[in-house]
């Protein structure tokens, strides 16, 4: 964790001396409830340990497939859902950040009284779920959101004047004629005008509604805006208008953006730095140029390869096998290994992968009667008869098993109607700096490389 | 322009599959008659992929749905034009085309899903959540292949089983089918259909289709659902496949796989494809020819190479420049100003004049003709007119 923080700090404009938003191991696990008693049967790990800083005036892009947790992370940062683990700080100074890293590096039981007091002070001053009174209101004012679907995020029964003027009214910034004038100037700043004041959202096109959302977010002159797929529901020509507008506003008002999108072209254009998310974790992060010119994670490469490019002479789009795994039960090791085209034996192969692979063969798992699972890496499959077990054995020995999965298999034995599979256990792959603040969580580029 | 002459000639000699002439589809609303499709002309030739691109609300989907008459009516009205369709059989028998807008509903039922199939935009909405995948794919076979299935059952098929093969049984009859003497024949019918379904699903590279058959749509991922829809659409080996933004609801990584699959199946089954999309970069990848649509009209057509290497219409140019790419500077995207106009009884004019930087008086007062600017490249813009209208023509300064 400390490496990533240090790595991020180096390449930033450190003149400001503080970050706008600092994430430290942020987690959001949604409980899965079952049965009449609503017993918690497990957790969907939507966001599972994300650490990065957002500095003043920059745009941080967040990309990934649907279900990778990018929207949930955006909602955590904007305070719409409380994180279930980790900490989110607002306007953390670099000095405090360094103190915090020191404290985090110290084990819980060895922290000094002084450190604990400092931790308490920093949490009370900057941690968004512990802010009180005035500090919390300052956070709320300065952190706004523009949502993906402008139709459902604007109240259909409120006039544009009410929607855009509401923040000003709540903060008692303006009323009466002054409020109207403030709303008009906000609308003008997003390319709308006085004639739009007394209309309802349904009277606008998608692009115009998104402009209204932006005007509402700008009403209190915030420092930071979370843009959650602001253009994915729009046509390219309108998307271009909105992207230009967002850039112009950032230049004029010195805004800081977090830009969430699944469109790599858009993120590349808009972002200074990009974090690529996969299954709740950051797979790679770095500057936009580094990430696009020399990606250091196979997932980023796969995203780039799958993205059609209008300017390329000839490009071959390449897709990825399979679907995103279940976030309630994420894969061991590197979470991408189940779909990775260059997976190695140390990527964290486990019993579920073997079962999933056997499941692609039509009849082979038909005789399965029970599974005795000692860990994710070690299990015994029981079959109805010895022939079925032998068929599995034959498939593993001679079938089209992925070579890296086979190499990761520590032991494999068939005993009567039972098959025992044991894989080499692997821990999760953490982000590591591969130079100049470019972080990746791929074993091919990190310190585990020598074990391949 | 000379680059594509050979391929164009080769394509031009291919027989036609469908030819749309001056199609007009209107919608009656309280505010007036919306001219959603306002006189478009298109040709789809055998084995080619024609891309239809345009923004939301330009009439792409209405055009596509007109092929199989799925435009809800009322409020929709087919206000003119025709869609000629040559099925493979008709072409081999040297018969003329049929007009899809004129044939009876009964004939349409026979063509829809059999000779012309459609893949819809949102796989989550196009599948029935209450039916298993097996029964949804089987329906295609019951609808269009019941005769063949009955032949496979052998002679002396009881009437009630015949009715079952056409999905015309009542609930009482279905109860009878579960008991002797019909039970064995009914089971045989089911196993034949299951075999067909499994085969159709395995064509789309679904691993273990027998297992998927028993699942319900909510158990499948978006990519899997789209594969099921493709299996459904291609089950009867159609002559024309209409793909209405088949990958818009999917992630890019899945999108690439689905497009590979469609291209592979198209090559194998020699199906013609009408590919509808708002994504220019996708159309560039997969289509042989492109038609660019704006506000109910086709503004430009040509081979993919012609249109992308040398776009002639200001709208096509604008669309291409608006796609963010590595060469753009932030804040410098070339946006097309304004919005798509409302199409309520539009006066004669180029529909793009409200947003066109080159528009002059003539663009606001007359409908532009479709002009040829290359071997197969056409454009509807006054800037390419050579006739004298007594009014100045726009000049494009690129």
């Amino acid at each position: 964790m400390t490496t990533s923080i240090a790595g991020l700090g180096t390449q930033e404009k450190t003149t400001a001396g503080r970050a706008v938003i600092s994430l430290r191991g942020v987690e959001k696990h949604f409980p899965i409830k079952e049965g009449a008693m609503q017993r918690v049967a497990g957790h969907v790990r939507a966001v599972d340990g994300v650490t990065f800083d957002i500095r003043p005036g920059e745009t941080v892009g967040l990309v990934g497939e649907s279900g990778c947790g990018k929207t949930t992370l955006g909602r955590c940062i904007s305070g719409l859902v409380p994180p279930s683990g980790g900490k989110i700080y607002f306007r953390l100074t670099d000095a405090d950040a360094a103190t915090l890293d020191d404290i985090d590096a110290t084990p819980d039981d060895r922290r000094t009284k002084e450190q604990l007091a400092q931790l308490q002070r920093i949490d009370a001053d900057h941690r968004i779920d512990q802010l009180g009174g005035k500090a919390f209101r300052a956070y709320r004012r300065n952190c706004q959101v523009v949502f993906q679907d402008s139709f459902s995020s604007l109240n259909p029964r409120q006039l544009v004047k009410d929607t855009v003027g509401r923040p000003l009214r709540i903060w008692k910034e303006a009323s009466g004629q002054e409020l109207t004038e403030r709303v008009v100037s906000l609308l003008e700043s997003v390319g709308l005008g006085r004639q739009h004041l007394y209309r309802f959202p349904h009277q606008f096109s998608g692009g115009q509604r998104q402009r209204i959302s932006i005007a509402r977010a700008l009403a209190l002159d915030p420092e930071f805006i979370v843009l959650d797929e602001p253009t994915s529901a729009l046509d390219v020509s309108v998307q271009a208008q909105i992207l230009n507008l967002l850039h112009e506003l950032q230049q004029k008002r010195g805004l800081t953006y977090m830009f969430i999108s699944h469109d790599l072209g858009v993120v590349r254009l808009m972002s200074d730095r990009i974090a690529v998310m996969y299954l709740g974790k950051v797979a790679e992060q770095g500057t936009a140029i580094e990430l696009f010119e020399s990606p250091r994670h196979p997932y980023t490469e796969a995203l780039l390869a799958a993205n059609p490019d209008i300017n390329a002479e000839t490009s071959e789009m390449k897709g990825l096998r399979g679907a995103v795994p279940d976030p309630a039960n994420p894969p061991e090791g590197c979470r991408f290994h189940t779909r990775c085209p260059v997976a190695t034996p140390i990527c964290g192969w486990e019993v579920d992968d073997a079962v999933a692979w056997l499941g692609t063969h039509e009849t082979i798992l038909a005789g399965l009667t029970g599974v005795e699972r000692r860990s994710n890496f070690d299990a015994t499959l029981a079959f109805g008869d010895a022939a079925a077990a032998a068929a599995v054995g034959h498939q593993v020995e001679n079938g089209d098993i992925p070579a890296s999965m086979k190499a990761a298999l520590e032991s494999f034995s068939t005993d009567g109607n039972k098959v025992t599979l044991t894989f080499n256990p692997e821990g999760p792959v953490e982000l590591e700096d591969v130079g100049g603040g470019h972080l990746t969580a791929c074993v091919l580029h990190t310190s585990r490389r020598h074990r391949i | 322009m000379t680059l594509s002459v050979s391929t164009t000639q080769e394509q031009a000699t291919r027989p036609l599959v469908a030819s749309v002439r001056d199609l007009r589809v209107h919608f009656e609303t309280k505010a007036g008659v919306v001219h959603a499709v306002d006189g478009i002309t298109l040709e789809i030739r055998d084995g080619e992929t024609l891309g239809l691109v345009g923004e939301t609300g330009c009439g792409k989907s209405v055009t596509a749905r007109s092929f199989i008459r799925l435009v809800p009516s009322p409020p929709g009205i087919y206000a003119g034009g025709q869609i000629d369709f040559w099925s493979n059989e008709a072409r081999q028998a040297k018969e003329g085309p049929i007009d899809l807008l004129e044939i009876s509903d009964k004939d349409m039922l026979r063509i829809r899903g059999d000779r012309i199939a459609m893949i819809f935009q949102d796989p989550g909405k196009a599948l029935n959540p209450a039916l298993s995948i097996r029964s949804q794919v089987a329906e295609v076979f019951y609808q269009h292949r019941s005769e063949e299935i009955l032949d496979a059952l052998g002679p002396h098929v009881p009437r009630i089983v015949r009715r079952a093969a056409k999905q015309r049984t009542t609930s009482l009859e279905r109860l009878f089918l579960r008991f002797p003497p019909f039970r064995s024949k009914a089971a045989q019918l089911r196993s034949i259909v299951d075999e067909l379904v499994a085969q159709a699903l395995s064509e789309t590279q679904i691993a273990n289709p027998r297992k998927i058959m028993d699942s319900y749509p909510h158990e499948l991922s978006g990519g899997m659902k789209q594969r099921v829809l493709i299996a459904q659409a291609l089950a009867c080996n159609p002559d024309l496949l209409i793909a209405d933004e088949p990958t818009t609801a999917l992630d890019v990584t899945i999108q690439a796989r689905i497009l590979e699959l469609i291209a592979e199946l198209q090559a194998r089954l020699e199906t013609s494809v009408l590919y509808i999309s708002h994504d220019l970069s996708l159309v560039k990848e997969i289509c042989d020819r492109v038609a660019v649509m704006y506000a109910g009209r086709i503004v430009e057509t040509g081979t993919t190479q012609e249109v992308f290497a040398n776009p002639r219409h200001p709208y096509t140019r604008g669309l291409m420049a608006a796609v963010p790419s590595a060469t753009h500077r932030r804040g410098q995207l070339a946006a097309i100003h304004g919005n798509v106009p409302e199409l309520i009884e539009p006066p004669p004019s180029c529909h793009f004049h409200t947003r066109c930087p080159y528009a002059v008086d003539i663009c606001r007062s007359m409908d532009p003709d479709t002009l040829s600017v290359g071997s197969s490249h056409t454009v509807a813009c006054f800037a390419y007119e050579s006739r004298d209208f007594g009014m100045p023509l726009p000049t494009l300064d690129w």
Side-chain angles (χ1 to χ4, degrees):
Chain A
M1 198 175 286
T2 39
T3 50
S4 59
I5 296 159
L8 271 174
T10 51
Q11 41 144 4
E12 285 316 319
K13 312 159 215 169
T14 41
T15 46
R18 65 170 175 86
V20 178
I21 293 283
S22 311
L23 309 178
R24 294 291 178 270
V26 174
E27 291 176 359
K28 179 66 193 177
H29 295 181
F30 293 101
I32 306 168
K33 291 178 179 167
E34 256 179 18
M37 300 301 289
Q38 292 289 285
R39 184 177 56 88
V40 176
H43 286 91
V44 172
R45 299 172 175 200
V47 178
D48 206 15
V50 173
T51 297
F52 61 75
D53 290 352
I54 301 172
R55 317 288 302 190
E58 74 171 346
T59 304
V60 173
L62 204 55
V63 271
E65 289 174 281
S66 47
C68 72
K70 49 190 195 306
T71 295
T72 306
L73 184 60
R75 294 176 81 95
C76 285
I77 292 174
S78 49
L80 294 176
V81 292
S84 51
K87 298 161 183 176
I88 303 172
Y89 296 97
F90 178 63
R91 289 183 173 165
L92 191 65
T93 60
D94 289 348
D96 281 347
T99 319
L100 207 60
D101 292 343
D102 279 346
I103 299 171
D104 277 342
T106 325
D108 274 359
D109 50 345
R110 296 191 27 206
R111 287 177 188 168
T112 60
K113 265 210 178 107
E114 190 191 352
Q115 277 181 320
L116 289 174
Q118 269 181 326
L119 188 63
Q120 209 166 17
R121 177 187 60 80
I122 295 172
D123 278 0
D125 287 352
H126 300 288
R127 191 171 154 183
I128 62 165
D129 46 359
Q130 291 188 4
L131 292 176
K134 218 171 160 185
F136 185 68
R137 285 202 297 278
Y139 158 71
R140 276 290 202 213
R141 260 196 94 130
N142 280 293
C143 180
Q144 299 288 335
V145 197
V146 174
F147 295 96
Q148 172 173 8
D149 183 357
S150 57
F151 207 85
S152 55
S153 62
L154 294 175
N155 188 336
R157 297 182 59 169
Q158 280 189 357
L159 295 167
V160 169
K161 187 193 158 204
D162 300 325
T163 299
V164 178
R166 196 170 174 78
L168 296 169
R169 203 191 291 268
I170 289 172
W171 283 80
K172 300 196 171 62
E173 293 249 326
S175 63
Q177 190 56 35
E178 195 199 342
L179 179 77
T180 313
E181 290 311 313
R182 290 276 296 269
V183 171
V184 169
S185 78
L186 281 167
L187 289 178
E188 278 167 358
S189 70
V190 296
L192 298 172
R194 192 178 292 273
Q195 70 275 24
H196 299 112
L197 271 180
Y198 297 99
R199 292 195 197 165
F200 288 104
H202 74 264
Q203 293 168 293
F204 293 91
S205 67
Q208 286 174 319
R209 279 202 300 269
Q210 205 57 281
R211 286 173 193 270
I212 297 169
S213 293
I214 294 170
R216 176 177 60 180
L218 291 175
L220 293 168
D221 206 9
E223 179 177 9
F224 174 64
I225 302 182
V226 175
L227 302 163
D228 186 1
E229 308 233 13
T231 60
S232 61
L234 306 176
D235 282 310
V236 279
S237 65
V238 182
Q239 167 175 291
Q241 295 171 9
I242 298 289
L243 295 180
N244 286 346
L245 171 69
L246 287 170
H247 178 69
E248 184 196 314
L249 291 169
Q250 185 172 32
Q251 294 296 308
K252 266 194 208 148
R253 296 173 173 241
L255 292 166
T256 307
Y257 289 148
M258 183 162 99
F259 198 100
I260 302 173
S261 179
H262 65 271
D263 187 327
L264 286 161
V266 173
V267 168
R268 177 181 199 171
L269 179 77
M270 295 300 289
S271 312
D272 301 309
R273 284 192 302 125
I274 297 175
V276 180
M277 273 185 89
Y278 185 75
L279 266 187
K281 275 183 179 286
V282 175
E284 184 174 6
Q285 70 185 46
T287 64
I289 298 162
E290 280 170 347
L291 216 80
F292 277 83
E293 302 298 330
S294 57
R296 294 295 189 85
H297 197 286
Y299 181 61
T300 316
E301 285 168 18
L303 282 180
L304 290 171
N307 201 35
D309 184 357
I310 194 163
N311 289 318
E313 281 298 309
T314 50
S315 66
E316 192 81 351
M317 280 189 290
K318 285 205 184 69
L320 270 178
R321 280 172 298 141
V324 181
D326 181 6
N329 184 20
E332 294 283 344
C334 170
R335 293 190 170 180
F336 184 56
H337 79 260
T338 55
R339 304 168 75 196
C340 185
V342 293
T344 69
I346 61 162
C347 287
W349 295 97
E350 56 183 306
V351 174
D352 287 346
D353 298 326
V355 172
W357 167 71
L358 288 168
T360 59
H361 298 76
E362 204 143 306
T363 52
I364 217 154
L365 283 184
L368 188 69
T369 54
V371 178
E372 188 199 332
R373 182 190 283 264
R374 285 173 293 277
S375 78
N376 280 343
F377 300 103
D378 185 13
T380 303
L381 312 178
F383 289 87
D385 55 62
V392 171
H394 181 78
Q395 197 59 246
V396 172
E397 299 287 343
N398 308 309
D400 55 346
I401 182 167
S404 50
M405 194 202 291
K406 196 170 181 182
L409 205 55
E410 190 178 80
S411 71
F412 169 80
S413 59
T414 315
D415 174 24
N417 64 344
K418 287 187 172 149
V419 175
T420 303
L421 294 157
T422 313
F423 285 94
N424 288 315
E426 293 287 345
V429 186
E430 300 294 346
L431 281 172
E432 278 182 41
D433 198 329
V434 291
H438 188 168
L439 310 178
T440 181
C442 177
V443 294
L444 290 173
H445 301 285
T446 54
S447 53
R448 283 197 212 179
R449 188 174 49 221
H450 65 274
R451 288 181 41 214
I452 300 166
Chain B
M1 200 94 331
T2 47
L3 279 171
S4 53
V5 167
S6 61
T7 55
T8 316
Q9 275 169 350
E10 186 231 319
Q11 268 164 0
T13 54
R14 286 189 191 172
L16 280 171
V17 170
S19 156
V20 180
R21 257 176 292 156
D22 198 33
L23 177 69
R24 287 168 198 276
V25 186
H26 296 173
F27 289 91
E28 278 182 339
T29 65
K30 276 182 196 159
V33 179
V34 175
H35 293 221
V37 176
D38 198 15
I40 70 162
T41 298
L42 273 181
E43 281 181 353
I44 306 172
R45 294 189 176 270
D46 192 26
E48 78 169 356
T49 304
L50 174 69
L52 191 58
V53 271
E55 290 177 278
T56 313
C58 74
K60 331 184 273 293
S61 288
V62 174
T63 307
R65 281 161 188 258
S66 302
F67 275 83
I68 45 178
R69 292 228 301 258
L70 280 184
V71 177
S73 174
I77 311 158
Y78 294 103
Q82 58 189 70
I83 304 178
D84 287 338
F85 173 69
W86 289 260
S87 66
N88 275 342
E89 281 168 41
R91 204 174 327 117
Q92 268 151 23
K94 303 250 188 277
E95 283 171 32
I98 46 170
D99 184 350
L100 294 173
L101 298 181
E102 290 296 322
I103 58 173
S104 67
D105 285 350
K106 211 174 156 193
D107 288 338
M108 194 69 226
L109 268 183
R110 234 176 288 153
I111 288 175
R112 192 189 290 144
D114 184 14
R115 297 296 90 219
I116 305 178
M118 187 153 171
I119 305 172
F120 292 92
Q121 179 169 355
D122 188 347
K125 285 180 192 154
L127 289 170
N128 186 334
L131 296 178
S132 67
I133 299 301
R134 176 203 304 270
S135 53
Q136 297 193 52
V137 181
E139 194 177 336
V140 183
F141 294 108
Y142 285 127
Q143 278 289 324
H144 298 292
R145 291 286 176 269
S146 54
E147 293 303 323
E148 287 86 336
I149 294 168
L150 287 172
D151 286 347
L153 274 180
H156 312 302
V157 180
R159 195 139 162 220
I160 184 170
V161 179
R162 288 188 166 276
R163 285 171 64 78
K166 289 177 181 159
Q167 282 193 319
R168 286 192 193 144
T169 44
T170 60
S171 52
L172 184 65
E173 283 175 321
R174 281 196 288 278
L175 188 67
F176 280 133
L177 282 169
R178 296 167 71 170
F179 298 100
F182 308 119
R183 195 170 62 181
S184 68
K185 273 288 180 209
Q188 210 184 334
L189 173 73
R190 258 201 310 278
S191 75
I192 289 173
V193 174
D194 278 358
E195 187 56 43
L196 288 170
V197 171
Q199 208 185 332
L201 289 175
S202 66
E203 293 250 324
T204 60
Q205 295 160 9
I206 289 178
N208 209 347
R210 297 257 171 200
K211 199 172 133 204
I212 298 296
M213 273 161 64
D214 289 320
S215 44
Y216 285 82
H218 74 268
E219 296 172 83
L220 306 179
S221 65
M224 284 290 248
K225 276 187 263 196
Q226 197 57 279
R227 279 167 200 268
V228 170
L229 281 176
I230 292 170
Q232 243 178 2
L234 295 177
C236 291
N237 195 356
D239 301 323
L240 176 62
L241 176 69
I242 299 168
D244 187 2
E245 309 222 14
T247 60
T248 307
L250 305 176
D251 283 312
V252 279
T253 54
I254 311 292
Q255 163 175 294
R257 299 277 292 180
I258 294 289
L259 292 175
E260 273 167 34
L261 175 70
I262 293 178
E264 187 205 309
L265 290 172
Q266 181 195 7
R268 187 143 52 87
L269 305 174
E270 293 171 348
T271 308
S272 314
V273 178
L274 175 63
Y275 191 92
I276 295 168
S277 180
H278 66 273
D279 190 334
L280 285 161
S281 36
L282 260 191
V283 165
K284 189 189 174 202
E285 300 273 329
I286 59 174
C287 295
D288 303 315
R289 283 199 308 126
V290 185
V292 182
M293 209 168 163
Y294 183 76
R297 290 193 187 150
I298 301 239
V299 295
E300 185 163 0
T301 58
T303 61
T304 310
Q305 206 182 7
E306 283 171 333
V307 173
F308 280 90
N310 192 5
R312 295 302 191 99
H313 199 282
Y315 177 63
T316 318
R317 274 225 160 201
L319 266 190
M320 284 171 61
V323 179
S325 75
T327 53
H328 279 109
R329 297 255 317 279
R330 212 176 291 170
Q332 310 262 309
L333 273 184
I336 304 174
H337 296 285
N339 297 297
V340 181
E342 292 202 15
L343 296 171
I344 297 168
E345 289 167 28
S349 63
C350 170
H351 288 177
F352 189 55
H353 78 261
T354 53
R355 302 172 77 186
C356 183
Y358 308 103
V360 292
D361 283 347
I362 191 167
C363 307
R364 300 181 189 102
S365 53
M366 280 177 76
D367 282 333
D369 281 334
T370 302
L371 307 163
S372 180
V373 289
S375 49
S376 67
H377 197 166
T378 66
V379 63
C381 177
F382 284 108
Y384 300 94
E385 277 287 4
S386 50
R387 286 175 287 166
D388 184 18
F389 291 91
M391 271 192 270
L393 295 171
T395 37
L396 309 176
D397 59 358
W398 61 63

